[in-house]
Amino acid sequence: MLLSFDDPDIAQREVRRLLAAGQGQDLEVRLSGGTYTRAAPLVFTELDSGRNGHTVTWTASPGERVEFSGGVTLTGWRPAGDGRWAATVPETVRAPRQLYVNGLRTAWVRSDWLEHDDCKIGPEGMTGAAALGVAGFARPSDVELVFRVRWRSYHCPVVGVSDDVIRFTEPCWTNALPGTGRVGPHWDNTAVGTEIHAWSMFATNALELLTEPGHFVWDSAARTVTYLPREGEDMESAQVVVPVAEQLVVLDGAHNLVFRGLSLAHTAWERTAGYVGAQAGFTLTGASGPLGEAGSHYTKPVAALTVRGGRQITVAGCEFVHLGGAGAVLEAGTKNSTVTGCSFSDLSSGGLYVGDIDPHPAVELADEGNSASFNTFRHTGAEFTDSVAVWGGYTRNLTVDRNTLEHLPYSGISLGWGWNQPEAQNPWLGENRISGNRIVDVLRVAERQYDGGAIYTQGPQPGTVVEANFIDRSEYGTTANDGNGIYLDEQSSHILVTRNVVTRVGYKWVSNWAEYGVENRAAGNWTDNTITPAFSGTGSVMEDNAVGLTELPPEAVRVAERAGAGPWPAPVEPLGSQEP
């Protein structure tokens, strides 16, 4: 049965009425083309689900584009001197971190990387307010300092400056320092101010920094944004969207639903309490909590689309774009669901998150049998650069196949969790497959996020296969910062790595450094890389790999050309090409 509507809320009420009445066939809801602004997410439950093997499909009318938007149009722009323009922000907007001007992301202005060798870090804050320039800002309490340490990223809002000490919002600052009692030694060693690893920092959101077009500053006291337009932008006619809503679509216990050809855009992610990255876009939140050395007490990023406990959910041909958080999350026991043929681009956080961080979930909360295929991920992690394009946690029978991942600040695909901790042994993890993906230009050196891989794994996962992926340029341009091709980190175990093509990586083409990462096998792969240390894991082997190549053999070229979401054959640069 075909149903046409120009209001999704009215459409949902009618579908529920039909289902409650015993409608015994597939339903297809076609929405008229246009932008549907959401102040709150559209929530789907058992009441909206297909019955008796039938499905309910939500899509756009043929030939039309439907966008669910979490943003509102920002008008009333006025000249503010020095080529800048200002506008007053509605009360519904808490603290805008992005604007979209004529469809282009506009971010807070930032400084260059700041020298911090003479700064001292302590519980009270950070010295060096004058040397860093923060003391000279007219509104330091609107400033945020961003720290990048290895694989972690921190965004800590400034409260104020006194006696050359920068003070920060709590609990952000306490959580950013070592000794919280909530994380393990790996995270304490990568806390802000660590003396073990090099770290970088910059300042954001100060009017004094606003000299580069395409950036803006938020003034919380005046509730204004001040923007320096790009060349050719006319602020009297420009279409400017400011995000408000954090979520657009939520499925809670729904099943047999299809979402096809819809666009989700312009979400916010309120971060006035700061951002303390743990790994892969997860954060340490709250002022207190239990010790979780296996990463079992971190928080996922908010997402435009969230599926909790879903069954037979299909998200096909959808667009996730201009988002302040992540694209989509499948969690809390979601099973036999798929995200396919979608595009994820210009996201502040990661693209797609599948699974959870409890190594021993209850049966009803165990994620299983899900897939992500033929999707494209480009320029995710635009703000929270420690996030990844595709993350899989404790999950089984997950397939990540034929996706294209390009231009990412950190790792591309991350699968598994746990860090060899006692509470993470014998987890709900295994029989997963990462195959046929095209992963190009990741772990970008300029972002200063280190210690990752184009494909990254954690934890024992018997039966997991990494096969026929094409990886080109992972932390390309430096050998100093652990930028790997395929990274079997920590207790990654029982994983087969085969028939992958790995070119132009900064460090190792494959890594299994930990002795407790056992019984891994890398066989029949091709690489130009010459950094090929033997696997350290007990019972792990490397065999029949072609390394140090100056030219890819025909079979390797075929694997590379067929990888990704298409079109095929995909381009494969000759070895020796230095262009990024």
Side-chain angles (χ1 to χ4, degrees), residues 180-302:
T180 64
R182 299 173 61 193
V183 301
H186 292 298
W187 289 270
D188 274 352
N189 291 343
T190 52
V192 170
T194 176
E195 296 181 358
I196 297 175
H197 300 293
W199 52 279
S200 303
M201 64 175 290
F202 60 86
T204 65
N205 199 45
L207 188 63
E208 292 81 359
L209 300 173
L210 188 56
T211 59
E212 183 179 352
H215 293 81
F216 79 99
V217 172
W218 158 244
D219 184 322
S220 62
R223 292 201 55 80
T224 59
V225 290
T226 301
Y227 174 61
L228 185 58
R230 301 175 179 91
E231 185 177 355
E233 288 177 341
D234 180 354
M235 297 311 294
E236 292 183 329
S237 60
Q239 295 295 310
V240 182
V241 176
V242 56
V244 180
E246 293 192 344
Q247 296 177 292
L248 298 173
V249 177
V250 172
L251 281 66
D252 199 345
H255 57 86
N256 297 95
L257 283 173
V258 177
F259 296 88
R260 187 175 67 235
L262 305 176
S263 179
L264 286 75
H266 306 134
T267 56
W269 190 16
E270 194 275 311
R271 296 280 84 198
T272 54
Y275 177 100
V276 177
Q279 182 155 320
F282 281 73
T283 54
L284 183 65
T285 58
S288 62
L291 174 64
E293 295 192 60
S296 53
H297 302 292
Y298 296 142
T299 303
K300 281 193 192 86
V302 70

Side-chain angles (χ1 to χ4, degrees), residues 84-147:
R84 302 163 175 169
W85 289 70
T88 300
V89 174
E91 292 292 335
T92 53
V93 181
R94 293 196 62 184
R97 303 182 70 89
Q98 309 89 32
L99 303 175
Y100 297 95
V101 181
N102 296 333
L104 295 178
R105 173 183 286 253
T106 296
W108 281 354
V109 67
R110 59 159 286 183
S111 71
D112 293 331
W113 298 105
L114 298 174
E115 295 294 331
H116 55 76
D117 290 347
D118 295 329
C119 299
K120 301 260 190 290
I121 304 289
E124 72 287 349
M126 179 179 189
T127 66
L132 295 171
V134 177
F137 295 152
R139 290 196 53 77
S141 59
D142 280 335
V143 171
E144 191 173 87
L145 292 191
V146 178
F147 304 87

Side-chain angles (χ1 to χ4, degrees), residues 331-396:
E331 64 180 5
T334 294
K335 293 179 171 63
N336 302 320
S337 297
T338 187
V339 177
T340 184
C342 296
S343 65
F344 297 77
S345 63
D346 189 28
L347 279 57
S348 287
S349 186
L352 173 64
Y353 287 75
V354 182
D356 291 285
I357 54 177
D358 181 353
H360 308 113
V363 172
E364 66 275 11
L365 295 177
D367 303 270
E368 184 177 18
N370 300 305
S371 66
S373 61
F374 299 98
N375 304 292
T376 60
F377 300 85
R378 294 186 175 97
H379 300 289
T380 65
E383 182 177 4
F384 304 109
T385 51
D386 58 330
S387 60
V388 299
V390 179
W391 180 87
Y394 288 119
T395 187
R396 290 186 179 175

